[in-house]
Amino acid sequence: MKTFEERLEQYFQEKDITDEDLKKSIKNCLGKPSGNAEEIINEVDSDCQTYYYDASFESVLDLYSNLFSEETPAGIFESVCGYYGCDTLFVTSDLHGISVTTH
């Protein structure tokens, strides 16, 4: 079974993501795997947040793949995924993916 880093590197290769700043931004937005899905989802405030869960974090990244291009500055991706925006990405301890949107 591949590690988080190995799967992320494979994802970068498959999606032809070569910009180092963008790779770093994606890694920062995903963080490190932490907690299980139940722990993360229990933190979601159902009154103002919704979540999307998938059994592979790559599928969660695919939701944002329109931002993965050499023309898109890494800061744009960061702003959408929690730094200044309203989407936060998580990877669970068993390498599943969760995207939490605040609305």
Side-chain angles (χ1 to χ4, degrees), residues 91-102:
V91 177
T92 66
S93 53
D94 54 356
L95 302 184
H96 293 190
I98 301 173
S99 171
V100 176
T101 303
T102 303

Side-chain angles (χ1 to χ4, degrees), residues 49-67:
Q49 293 178 310
T50 56
Y51 69 88
Y52 168 79
Y53 170 87
D54 198 280
S56 74
F57 69 81
E58 294 92 343
S59 294
V60 171
L61 283 175
D62 283 344
L63 291 174
Y64 302 89
S65 62
N66 61 320
L67 297 174

